[in-house]
Amino acid sequence: MDFTYSDEQQMLRDSVDRFGAERWNPAKRVRLLESGDAAQRWREMAELGWLMLPIAEADGGLGGGAIEVMAVAEGFGRHLIVDPWVTSCVLVPALLAGGGDAAGAVLAAIAAGEAKAAAGLIEPHMGYDIAEVALRAEQGPDGWRLTGEKLHVEDGADADWFVVSARTAGTPGERDGIGLFLLPRDAAGLTVERFRAVDHHRHARLRLDGVTGATAVGPVDHALPVIEAAVDRAIAAHLAEAVGSMEAATAATLDHLRTRQQFGVAIGTFQVLQHRMVDMTIACEEARAMAAYATLHLDAAPAERIRAVAAGKTRVGDCGLHVGQEAIQLHGGVGFSDELIVSHHFKRQLMLDQAHGPRHHHRNRFAAAA
Amino acid sequence: MNLSFDAADLAFRDEVREFFRDGIPENWRLRVQAGLRLDPAELIEYQRRLHARGWAAPTWPKEYGGTGWTPTQQYIFWSEASEAGAPPQFHQGLELIGPIIFTYGNAAQKERYLPGILTCDDWWCQGYSEPGAGSDLAALRTRAVRDGDDYVVNGQKMWTSYAHVASHVFLLARTSLEEKRQQGISLILAPMDTPGFRVAKIPTMDEKYHTNELFLDDARIPTANLVGEEGKGWGYGKVLLDRERMVTASTAIFLKQTVWAVREAARARRVGTRALIDTPDFAAQLAQFEIEVIALQTMVLRLITDAAGGVDSGPRGSMVKLRWSSLYQRGMLLWLEALGPEMAHFCAEDDATLPPDMPAVMQGMLYSRVTSIYGGSSEIQHNIVARRALGL
């Protein structure tokens, strides 16, 4: 048993921390978000090797494992880096791995920092159940034709490629009859609506009106297990991100308690605040343990993996929201301001909890897998 | 980073599993799952069986009759015990006084007392708390005054668990009055049949007899029974802090038993045409409880790997204690809810039959309330973490 990073993993973690400290200094954050130099940052990340890290060697990547992803994602959370790394470099590569030539070419472009990709898996009225696919894919004379809607594509606003799930047979909710399709942003019949979230991640809604030019990826009709495993990988990365963010918010709050004076003393001398600070610290410990637990089960048998990831998603969500809310409360009025980093951490926790399904969804998933 | 055991650990696991395979009597199961201590006679029997196997003291070094196990082996041992429905060992002798004796005691004390702890021929109780000196031990007032080769001890102890069963007590008593309240406190060992000792039962809300007041009235205890140096007793408690991490860790491992028990109860209970466990609200509550237990187990695993790696885990033991007591309390309440209206059937009169979980589940639930008070209350644990981890 071992809960520590290897030297190489630690170096990776340190490199994200250096990048974060230089590029994502909290004092510069608001200005940075307005400057719109995402393309430059993405190139720098490519040079650092992060973009190719989780991609399989066969697909032009470095074949990094779940722990390496954890080390990087933790830093993304600690510094609130908004670039769509988890989506483009963890989720999409897991969906496209071994998916044929077209998929391989897109993965190589992602690895090189030349393209971004996002996954459309969620539809209207389906909650977060990824088997509830209604979007249809039908074989026509000119290849596959896709019709339907993807309600929310995480990090999809600036994607060059989309991977979408589509029903090739059966009815929504059935596990069989789901395929994965790769389509370029400029595919005929595709409308991309873009949104910015409160955490400055940029998302999309897709409307597909007889889209042609999509390529089937992997086993048509039987893609659901692949999608579930890929989403679980993305969730595990998000858990690490949540832990990094939580620990940063907690550290900022502790610092505040030590320095902010009221009634002539540091507010950290008030026992009621100390105890709340301790509960935040314990929430961080629990979340770190749970993120590791989920990550270390990613390669387990599906039922075991699902339970571990669903448990992690539930508990880290609980802890993250608790920490985010308390960080603001303990800072008082300034915690509510845009200037202080804690409000940004809270917003990210809120969005991380929701991404790929909030706590109650995963609690049910955990119970169903018992 | 990995969660797997090496080949030697796996072989050890099989050996432990084999030991527990058919060793746990059925009539222990419900009480153990409810987190209740077994009767003293049963605990003594359990300890003797472990001793016969050479496993009397999982956390002690070999030279004192312990197993010399690594923290990982200890974890495996407790996990297997938990899986098998076995109880945690009674820890007053094993974890609270034994280690202090082998760390600070003299040769004669080690020779006299350590074997009796391993075999359970001696049963120890802890004479620390007093009225007005619970979590704030420095406020204790029991006096031990030297008179020739004896201490003459006067005072009153509270919450002396199992004093009615114990053969020996380890006492903290004031041997001098110092400026600093922590100084002048000494640790003294005494047989329970010492003249001047009087034990009085404290009835508790769970209607189980565990704890007592202990009155000390001109009790003469030989000065040879002083552990370490006079006036330094307070400091010896610190060795306990480190060990208590492992006591709490081991207790937390047994929390899985509560999860299984609640699930079993909720499967058995029917609400209309379906089992309680299939009702969405109960299923969600149980899932939430189990998820938090998994989180705690994983925190314990991290604590244990730190211990194995010689890394100071700081006050993580306090964090585990806080989370464990709160989860245990929630789990027991959930189990009680699973009983439904029959939770009112605590004690059968006439020829009525009790629900199969009763009275263990109700007693366990009531008992659970003390777990956030004893061993340093949740408030004290918060203070410890605030001071040691956060420097507040």
Side-chain angles (χ1 to χ4, degrees), chain B residues 19-20 23-50 55-56 58 77-91 94 250-255 257 260:
Chain B
F19 173 82
F20 280 115
I24 305 305
E26 182 60 18
N27 69 359
W28 291 14
R29 201 175 49 92
L30 269 174
R31 284 174 294 152
V32 166
Q33 286 182 334
L36 294 171
R37 289 213 178 103
L38 297 177
D39 294 337
E42 292 166 326
L43 281 170
I44 290 169
E45 172 58 27
Y46 181 48
Q47 180 65 18
R48 293 205 165 136
R49 287 188 42 221
L50 289 170
W55 295 348
F77 176 74
W78 290 319
S79 291
E80 290 301 317
S82 170
E83 293 274 339
Q89 285 166 277
F90 189 72
H91 65 268
L94 269 181
S250 68
T251 316
I253 291 167
F254 286 86
L255 202 51
Q257 294 179 334
W260 302 327

Side-chain angles (χ1 to χ4, degrees), chain A residues 131-143:
Chain A
E132 290 283 342
V133 175
L135 191 148
R136 301 294 306 190
E138 280 159 344
Q139 280 278 20
D142 46 356

Side-chain angles (χ1 to χ4, degrees), chain B residues 12 15-16 19-20 45-70 73-74 77 89 94 115 117-119:
Chain B
F12 175 73
E15 199 183 330
V16 175
F19 173 82
F20 280 115
E45 172 58 27
Y46 181 48
Q47 180 65 18
R48 293 205 165 136
R49 287 188 42 221
L50 289 170
H51 181 253
R53 184 67 179 77
W55 295 348
T59 64
W60 288 20
K62 267 201 162 129
E63 56 176 316
Y64 301 119
T67 58
W69 284 339
T70 63
Q73 285 176 307
Q74 294 170 24
F77 176 74
Q89 285 166 277
L94 269 181
I117 292 173
L118 299 176
T119 57

